[in-house]
Amino acid sequence: MKNILLCLLLITTGTLWAQEDAWVYFTDKPETEFYLANPLEMLTQKALDRRADQGITIDEVDVPLHESYITAITDADGITVMAKSKWMNVVHVRGSEEAINALTALEFVDYIDFANKNLNVAGRGLQPKEIQLVNKQLDTQIDFDYGNSDNQIQMLNGHLLHQEDFTGEGMTIAVLDAGFPGVDTALPFQRLFDNNLILGGYDFVTKSEDFYTADSHGTIVLSAIGGYVEGELVGTAPDAFYYLFRTEDAESENPVEESYWVEAAEEADRLGVDVINTSLGYFGYDNPDYSYTYEDIDGQTAFISRGADIAFSRGMICVTSGGNTGNTTNPHIGVPADAINTLTVGAVNAEEEYGSFSSRGPTYDMRVKPDIMARGVNTVSSLPSGDITGVSGTSLSSPVATGLVACLWQALPDRTNAEIIQLIKESADRYNNPNIEYGYGIPDFALARENALGIEENEKLLFKLYPNPATNTVTISNLDEGNSNIVIYNNLGQVVLQSEINQNNATISIEKLTSGIYIYKLSMGSKSQTGRLIKE
């Protein structure tokens, strides 16, 4: 099979730029009370159901931007509104530095953040910019004739989920990419159309309803998740629903693509999407003043990374390619792979060996990245023509994992997004000894399910932790004589609280923990129990 290396990160150039890009943040959302009282005006019932299932309430973040604010910005001299985000109450604009700064005269403008940080009032000094270039063969009975795609699925024990009829049915996946030509005509996608599994899409770059155009990258990515040609290619979630959103302009590299991505993620949230695949990454831009440095890879600096974490807070799982820069002068992951709550995927070959191009961790703030690995070297995929071939890049390891994330969540519908991610990490072969190349390693999705079912069984037989959700303290009942131990982990797998408990002292304080979802592990002698704790 022909080898193709996918990489959307382009070489930066030193051209002079007459116009600037900036984010204009608003002070408020005047219609908040109306929308919170009428949630179906901003979210579909499917989205509300997903929130309810995970105990997530709607809030001001969900409220749309105030239309009169957008109109005033649009009508301003020399300003073009490129994109907008309700999550961050902001519009992305393009214009001269003078025209953009003039927007501060509008009373509802809170502040302006130029993509060129040197132009901000409290901007940083010039910094040097890196030039950025863009085997388990198990003897099992399988329901699908995977053909050459068997390795990439069996490596993660995804076929065992498929055998249990967990093939993504009922789950919704959004693919955010550079275009989808051939998806509406090529044979590997015919099964999706025959079963009405493509629910829609949108081109955020050209503001068009025609998303079966532009760059073929998205087509190849989709094929690894939902493609199907018997005996040649089976995607990891062949029965899931799909939305296809174009957010990447493959002809140029500009931070507006981060804003397009956030727009698409917001639409995915509105429509009730469960899992987002992002086989895109950013570090260097055509205008080098917009580029990132390693110090920016902290999960909080990039607009797109902050958007990915908000997507997680809305109840979705974002699966993101780690990047293809492992053998360049800048080997680290880009954005949004650095986002705190995204599941970042690196690439291995068919023998589970690290792909040398796969971007490495850690993040600048020393978090483990990538999180997991999947096959991204000669991954069996489809071109827009329908030809089945081998394609290389973390752009392919991400969708291979994405489909199985959806299948696992289908198998464990009562679990939250945080719990699903944690189960996947814990199933990986290097979970107790992560490194900068593999992260936590190669996950075992069948084991993740088994572990979850074991947790549920233990919860019936062992201890009880209450109240849950909790505010200040939790108490553990059914303790035997002697000391027990409780450890609480955040969604990064880090220990945030550890305490000994016993029958006489079975209450612990969680007052110092921030609000969110945690995983606890209770140990007493040879018995242990793991479960979810919600801190309000």
Side-chain angles (χ1 to χ4, degrees):
M1 294 185 292
K2 181 170 60 177
N3 295 322
I4 301 172
L5 183 65
L6 292 183
C7 188
L8 283 172
L9 304 177
L10 308 179
I11 300 175
T12 61
T13 60
T15 310
L16 294 177
W17 305 91
Q19 290 197 314
E20 298 291 342
D21 279 64
W23 290 276
V24 180
Y25 288 83
F26 300 153
T27 56
D28 62 347
K29 292 179 176 178
E31 298 175 312
T32 294
E33 290 186 7
F34 167 79
Y35 280 103
L36 294 183
N38 299 276
L40 285 172
E41 294 290 332
M42 54 185 177
L43 297 167
T44 63
Q45 188 61 54
K46 189 175 188 301
L48 295 174
D49 291 343
R50 187 194 64 227
R51 303 280 187 93
D53 289 342
Q54 299 181 65
I56 299 171
T57 58
I58 59 173
D59 56 26
E60 187 175 352
V61 173
D62 299 307
V63 174
L65 293 170
H66 193 47
E67 282 297 329
S68 67
Y69 292 176
I70 300 173
T71 301
I73 299 292
T74 303
D75 291 343
D77 291 340
I79 295 296
T80 301
V81 174
M82 305 297 295
K84 55 186 183 294
S85 168
K86 68 176 184 178
W87 284 349
M88 289 186 258
N89 202 20
V90 65
V91 291
H92 185 122
V93 302
R94 184 169 294 164
S96 68
E97 180 184 353
E98 181 181 11
I100 293 173
N101 278 326
L103 297 175
T104 57
L106 298 170
E107 62 180 2
F108 56 82
V109 171
D110 188 13
Y111 65 96
I112 292 172
D113 182 23
F114 281 91
N116 179 357
K117 303 302 180 184
N118 304 302
L119 301 180
N120 290 327
V121 174
R124 60 193 180 187
L126 277 172
Q127 301 178 28
K129 306 294 183 182
E130 293 278 2
I131 292 183
Q132 181 75 6
L133 302 171
V134 245
N135 173 23
K136 296 175 190 153
Q137 294 294 341
L138 302 178
D139 185 15
T140 62
Q141 296 293 318
I142 57 178
D143 297 323
F144 291 120
D145 185 356
Y146 294 111
N148 288 332
S149 66
D150 57 356
N151 172 271
Q152 60 209 48
I153 297 176
Q154 293 181 3
M155 180 185 294
L156 308 181
N157 270 343
H159 64 297
L160 298 180
L161 293 183
H162 289 178
Q163 289 173 22
E164 296 292 325
D165 291 328
F166 301 120
T167 57
E169 184 175 357
M171 304 300 293
T172 306
I173 299 171
V175 181
L176 278 56
D177 220 284
F180 304 92
V183 170
D184 55 340
T185 57
L187 177 62
F189 306 101
Q190 187 62 50
R191 187 171 181 272
L192 295 179
F193 284 94
D194 289 344
N195 294 311
N196 298 313
L197 295 177
I198 295 183
L199 301 180
Y202 189 72
D203 184 337
F204 286 88
V205 178
T206 64
K207 307 295 188 288
S208 168
E209 300 287 343
D210 183 7
F211 49 89
Y212 296 121
T213 60
D215 192 85
S216 63
H217 189 273
T219 303
I220 300 169
V221 167
L222 175 63
S223 72
I225 320 175
Y228 185 87
V229 178
E230 187 173 358
E232 297 184 61
L233 167 67
V234 177
T236 46
D239 293 322
F241 292 113
Y242 292 91
Y243 285 101
L244 310 180
F245 297 133
R246 181 190 176 210
T247 65
E248 163 72 23
D249 182 356
E251 299 301 316
S252 64
E253 205 75 308
N254 183 282
V256 72
E257 293 160 293
E258 297 186 40
S259 297
Y260 294 151
W261 187 95
V262 173
E263 275 192 314
E266 291 177 2
E267 178 65 1
D269 173 39
R270 186 186 73 83
L271 293 166
V273 164
D274 302 298
V275 183
I276 294 175
N277 182 82
T278 304
S279 290
L280 305 169
Y282 303 97
F283 191 93
Y285 285 117
D286 294 344
N287 181 346
D289 287 329
Y290 294 169
S291 297
Y292 294 111
T293 65
Y294 180 47
E295 288 79 3
D296 297 319
I297 307 302
D298 60 2
Q300 302 178 52
T301 297
F303 188 80
I304 191 172
S305 300
R306 288 184 282 127
D309 278 332
I310 295 176
F312 173 83
S313 76
R314 307 296 97 177
M316 295 181 286
I317 295 177
C318 293
V319 185
T320 305
S321 61
N324 301 332
T325 63
N327 50 15
T328 72
T329 57
N330 176 59
H332 297 288
I333 62 168
V335 302
D338 70 327
I340 294 171
N341 292 304
T342 193
L343 187 67
T344 302
V345 189
V348 295
N349 64 16
E351 288 73 42
E352 303 184 7
E353 299 167 338
Y354 168 73
S356 62
F357 58 82
S358 185
S359 297
R360 301 195 290 270
T363 58
Y364 184 71
D365 56 325
M366 300 304 294
R367 286 176 289 113
V368 173
K369 290 287 179 178
D371 295 298
I372 60 171
M373 306 294 278
R375 183 169 173 182
V377 179
N378 278 345
T379 307
V380 179
S381 310
S382 172
L383 301 179
S385 63
D387 293 336
I388 308 300
T389 186
V391 183
S392 294
T394 58
S395 287
L396 270 298
S397 55
S398 178
V400 167
T402 289
L404 294 179
V405 170
C407 294
L408 179 64
W409 212 353
Q410 177 197 358
L412 302 169
D414 295 331
R415 296 287 168 167
T416 67
N417 58 350
E419 291 173 320
I420 293 294
I421 289 174
Q422 187 63 25
L423 285 166
I424 293 168
K425 290 178 182 178
E426 289 179 357
S427 78
D429 59 4
R430 289 170 172 80
Y431 180 69
N432 292 319
N433 189 29
N435 62 38
I436 63 172
E437 294 178 341
Y438 282 83
Y440 294 112
I442 298 169
D444 182 331
F445 281 84
L447 177 62
R449 178 176 178 247
E450 291 173 8
N451 287 343
L453 296 178
I455 290 171
E456 291 172 358
E457 188 62 28
N458 284 341
E459 286 176 342
K460 296 176 184 177
L461 300 175
L462 300 177
F463 318 112
K464 181 179 180 182
L465 182 147
Y466 66 93
N468 193 4
T471 303
N472 296 316
T473 63
V474 292
T475 300
I476 299 90
S477 63
N478 300 335
L479 293 173
D480 294 339
E481 293 184 2
N483 288 334
S484 303
N485 186 60
I486 182 170
V487 182
I488 298 178
Y489 303 87
N490 63 17
N491 55 29
L492 303 177
Q494 300 166 327
V495 176
V496 294
L497 191 153
Q498 187 169 3
S499 178
E500 284 195 352
I501 51 176
N502 54 54
Q503 289 179 330
N504 298 320
N505 183 26
T507 298
I508 62 170
S509 172
I510 60 170
E511 190 172 1
K512 293 183 179 180
L513 298 183
T514 59
S515 298
I517 300 172
Y518 296 86
I519 303 296
Y520 70 83
K521 183 175 183 180
L522 280 164
S523 301
M524 185 171 59
S526 61
K527 297 186 291 184
S528 66
Q529 173 177 310
T530 304
R532 175 184 65 170
L533 169 64
I534 300 175
K535 166 65 187 298
E536 293 184 329

